[in-house]
Amino acid sequence: MYFGADYYPEHWPRERWDVDAKLMKEAGFNLIRVAEFAWAKLEPSEGHWDFSWLDEALDVFYKQGIQVVMGTPTATPPKWLMDKHPEIYKRDENDLVLGFGSRRHYCYNSEIYREYSEKIVEKMAQHYANHPAVAAWQIDNEFTCGDGLYCYCESCRQKFIVWLKKKYGSLDALNKAWGTVFWSQTYTDWDQIIVPKRSQAGMFGNNGHNPALNLDYSRFQSDAIVDYCAIQSRILKRWTKVPITHNVVSELCDYYKLGEQIDIATYDNYPASPWKSFLGGSPSDPAFSIDVERGIKNKNVWIMEEQSGPCGWNVLGSTPRPGQIKKWSYQAMAHGAEAIVYFRWRACLFGTEEYWYGILDHDGIPRRRYEEIKAIGKDFPKLCAYNVNSKVCADMLMIRSFEQQWTHTFQEHNWNFNYRKYLQALYNGFWANNYNMDVSNEEVDFSGYKVVIAPAFNLMDERLKEKFEKYVAEGGNLVVTFRSGTKEMDNSMTERTLPGYFKEVAGIELEEFDSINDCTVPVEGAFGKGAASIWADIIKPVTAKPVATYAGEYYAGKPAITVNEFGKGRCYYVGCDLDAEGTAQLMDYIAKECGVKPALENVPDGVEVVRKESGDGKEFWFVMNFSGKEQTVEFPCEVKAIETDEVLGRSVKLPVYGSAAVAKV
Ligand code: GAL
């Protein structure tokens, strides 16, 4: 159970450390994260190590009962290293070296970089191996975040060839799987293999390359990140028994494979950063993101960076309103966070992030945000008594697959289709009705779930077909949506009649589809009403029954959504997108039909409720008010405030931005 902040002793004079440590102790902190960007301070020139400043910082904080997450500083290779080995730099798809001056400027496949990384990780691990202040290690920082690109350098190409040889065994098999007969792309020598840089024919967001090559390159680059993480993880494991983590945010890497290299997944949560608005900015976004993180290892997570102030690099997001930091922290705990570490302790006076405010402002004086966090700190031990080892009561699983995401990224199907946003839209539909869920990949055991949702599950094979069919035949409820089952695993199109491998379980055939471009198409049915504006599959039921039909376009009257009884279970096929309200109605309808109950009934709009079970079997709830007005939430039993043990009766009043943690009396 950890509560704390991200702290950069190297940014502040030595005298200030004591002041900070005392203020932290008073706020109930017991953890700081340090050193994840401090390579140039730890190894100022090659082979010259200086741990003295960090040793001293650890002493100062440990004396106040504050431990550290020790970061390996490999996200910021220093200038001396980059000057000595410029071949480490990442090359973008235009063959450009982006150079020095920010961070993450290295190629994961560079053997030279791997060697230097090994050296510094080994040195640090050895130095801090038995240090009582070290509570955990963080490997690197947010792989690929901020670079957002794959590398296309010669080391990558050479390693890609090795990766392909292992996967395909022969060039014949590769040529067949990739369909290189198209546009005379047949490879006759392994060394001819290319990486998908910007191509002659790239246009309108498509790089023009063979989709199978694109997908294999993503798989390969994701594996490279995982391998790079594994190198560090192996070294740390030799020296220490404390947990190893990474703050996982990069969608260019398969979270689940990365998860195998770490003990705890951590997440960086910025509900009101200025960038959030690009992603939608809905209050369900952190809920979904943390559910995704929980699914990485199917266990509770830590928040390694939790927003604590107004933030941005060039423009700023809004200042957290009174109560909002607590609400975000409670929401994070609700969805599985067992540790909350705020980013950052104090706004830095210099550097790219000098606008990024933390708990304290630039002048280091504690004000409102400090007091609000201190108040959370006071209650944190009581909350943890319930929350640590607790689980979200979830009867539903949403499948989030990175391979599916990559295939939809190269070929979006429709300008307005985005896999991540589509999942979020479906999740919102459940969230708006307070249905709690797990999110994980297709490899988890489905059998404990009443409903499994497989959105846009496009790449398919026999093994998965059997898994989905078995789940439904044994009584499960599967929800499959448009753009599922149209492809084979190598990213070529399936020859099967659509929806391909889902045809039997869904009991339908697709006659046609419409990628909607200039209109919206009304959809009506037992669930309610909505409108499609991205995609419309025109469904011919075989054994399925219509749940909703289109009420517009030349396919008016044709089924848009169907349900099929299959063995002891059923499969819903959702052939179209819907507006937010229609999605919420449909998700509510499906959940009810499948016997799933929300976390709480009759919750006012804009209030989120998460129902949990503590490690020792007690029922409790987190309640967060996102509605912008005061709300009262009614419970079916007497509840008490977890923080104070005060019995509240059967209802809880929440001010604007209010949040509460309550347990059954
Ligand atoms: C995170 C990153 C931090 C800091 C923060 C604010 O993504 O891990 O190091 O950069 O964003 O930009």
Side-chain angles (χ1 to χ4, degrees), residues 74-293:
T74 48
T76 45
K79 190 71 166 62
W80 59 259
L81 172 54
M82 301 313 290
D83 283 355
K84 185 170 178 197
H85 291 292
E87 62 275 38
I88 291 173
Y89 280 116
K90 181 171 275 197
R91 274 180 187 268
D92 80 358
E93 53 174 5
N94 299 310
D95 235 353
L96 274 179
V97 168
L98 298 180
F100 196 79
S102 58
R103 59 180 172 183
R104 308 221 53 79
H105 38 274
Y106 69 85
C107 166
Y108 298 98
N109 283 310
S110 159
E111 278 306 320
I112 296 174
Y113 193 58
R114 289 180 174 200
E115 277 167 31
Y116 276 90
S117 304
E118 279 174 33
K119 248 185 253 165
I120 189 157
V121 174
E122 183 96 39
K123 272 273 172 199
M124 287 179 79
Q126 187 178 9
H127 190 83
Y128 292 110
N130 298 312
H131 201 300
V134 179
W137 285 79
Q138 174 182 298
I139 293 176
D140 204 289
N141 188 74
E142 294 187 340
F143 287 130
T144 89
C145 182
D147 49 33
L149 336 144
Y150 293 137
C151 178
Y152 299 85
C153 73
E154 184 57 19
S155 308
C156 287
R157 195 182 76 85
Q158 291 299 338
K159 286 201 175 164
F160 187 40
I161 295 172
V162 174
W163 187 93
L164 291 169
K165 278 187 182 162
K166 193 165 166 217
K167 175 166 181 180
Y168 292 106
S170 73
L171 273 178
D172 281 350
L174 177 144
N175 280 317
K176 187 158 180 284
W178 285 10
T180 52
V181 64
F182 188 79
W183 285 355
S184 268
Q185 288 169 349
T186 308
Y187 295 99
T188 54
D189 189 315
W190 283 106
D191 200 41
Q192 295 168 349
I193 296 285
I194 59 157
V195 294
K197 291 182 192 171
R198 187 165 165 208
S199 76
Q200 184 67 38
M203 56 181 163
F204 305 127
N206 183 303
N207 68 4
H209 280 289
N210 183 319
L213 162 66
N214 274 333
L215 181 58
D216 269 345
Y217 201 63
S218 290
R219 288 170 169 147
F220 156 72
Q221 285 286 352
S222 170
D223 284 357
I225 298 168
V226 174
D227 277 356
Y228 178 76
C229 182
I231 291 172
Q232 296 203 21
S233 176
R234 276 196 297 272
I235 296 172
L236 293 173
K237 290 249 178 262
R238 280 208 305 273
W239 290 101
T240 173
K241 294 207 165 20
V242 299
I244 296 170
T245 183
H246 174 76
N247 42 354
V248 189
V249 300
S250 163
E251 305 191 338
L252 300 182
C253 174
D254 187 320
Y255 283 18
Y256 308 102
K257 286 190 180 171
L258 190 62
E260 289 166 17
Q261 304 306 328
I262 54 179
D263 302 310
I264 299 169
T266 56
Y267 180 64
D268 297 343
N269 192 32
Y270 294 101
S273 90
W275 302 319
K276 279 290 163 194
S277 47
F278 292 115
L279 301 170
S282 147
S284 70
D285 182 29
F288 177 61
S289 299
I290 300 168
D291 282 355
V292 169
E293 294 284 317

Side-chain angles (χ1 to χ4, degrees), residues 611-627:
R611 188 165 80 91
K612 303 194 77 171
E613 194 183 294
S614 67
D616 54 357
K618 289 190 219 124
E619 189 178 21
F620 70 109
W621 295 265
F622 279 99
V623 195
M624 282 74 53
N625 184 1
F626 292 97
S627 73

Side-chain angles (χ1 to χ4, degrees), residues 336-384:
E338 293 192 355
I340 306 274
V341 180
Y342 293 97
F343 189 89
R344 45 186 291 148
W345 171 245
R346 176 174 168 187
C348 194
L349 300 173
F350 38 75
T352 307
E353 297 191 337
E354 62 188 22
Y355 278 10
W356 204 284
Y357 284 73
I359 301 171
L360 307 188
D361 300 324
H362 293 102
D363 63 5
I365 295 174
R367 298 197 173 85
R368 171 177 68 84
R369 300 194 303 278
Y370 173 80
E371 294 305 329
E372 287 187 24
I373 287 172
K374 188 173 166 185
I376 306 170
K378 192 165 101 338
D379 295 331
F380 202 68
K382 279 213 160 165
L383 287 165
C384 286

Side-chain angles (χ1 to χ4, degrees), residues 269-466:
N269 192 32
Y270 294 101
S273 90
W275 302 319
K276 279 290 163 194
S277 47
F278 292 115
L279 301 170
S282 147
S284 70
D285 182 29
F288 177 61
S289 299
I290 300 168
D291 282 355
V292 169
E293 294 284 317
R294 206 177 68 242
I296 292 177
K297 296 190 76 72
N298 295 306
K299 72 176 204 190
N300 286 341
V301 299
W302 292 3
I303 303 297
M304 196 52 93
E305 299 176 18
E306 175 75 35
Q307 182 169 353
S308 60
C311 57
W313 283 6
N314 44 339
V315 294
L316 289 152
S318 315
T319 297
R321 304 302 194 242
Q324 224 172 1
I325 296 175
K326 175 173 167 186
K327 186 178 65 173
W328 293 333
S329 306
Y330 275 34
Q331 186 185 35
M333 287 190 249
H335 288 274
E338 293 192 355
I340 306 274
V341 180
Y342 293 97
F343 189 89
R344 45 186 291 148
W345 171 245
R346 176 174 168 187
C348 194
L349 300 173
F350 38 75
T352 307
E353 297 191 337
E354 62 188 22
Y355 278 10
W356 204 284
Y357 284 73
I359 301 171
L360 307 188
D361 300 324
H362 293 102
D363 63 5
I365 295 174
R367 298 197 173 85
R368 171 177 68 84
R369 300 194 303 278
Y370 173 80
E371 294 305 329
E372 287 187 24
I373 287 172
K374 188 173 166 185
I376 306 170
K378 192 165 101 338
D379 295 331
F380 202 68
K382 279 213 160 165
L383 287 165
C384 286
Y386 276 83
N387 207 38
V388 170
N389 297 324
S390 68
K391 58 175 201 255
V392 175
C393 302
D395 283 335
M396 295 196 273
L397 170 76
M398 183 181 283
I399 298 178
R400 177 169 194 192
S401 148
F402 288 87
E403 296 210 345
Q404 303 291 344
Q405 176 158 337
W406 301 328
T407 173
H408 291 300
T409 309
F410 313 129
Q411 295 160 292
E412 302 93 332
H413 311 277
N414 180 291
W415 288 125
N416 294 319
F417 183 75
N418 171 298
Y419 176 81
R420 165 72 171 73
K421 285 189 177 162
Y422 182 53
L423 260 65
Q424 177 86 54
L426 295 179
Y427 182 92
N428 282 356
F430 290 109
W431 183 88
N433 293 293
N434 284 298
Y435 292 105
N436 302 153
M437 63 172 67
D438 290 336
V439 183
S440 197
N441 71 355
E442 64 276 16
E443 299 306 330
V444 301
D445 179 7
F446 297 162
S447 63
Y449 294 104
K450 285 189 179 154
V451 179
V452 171
I453 305 130
F457 204 88
N458 218 3
L459 304 165
M460 275 290 284
D461 61 9
E462 277 299 337
R463 180 184 73 88
L464 288 168
K465 179 180 196 285
E466 272 170 36

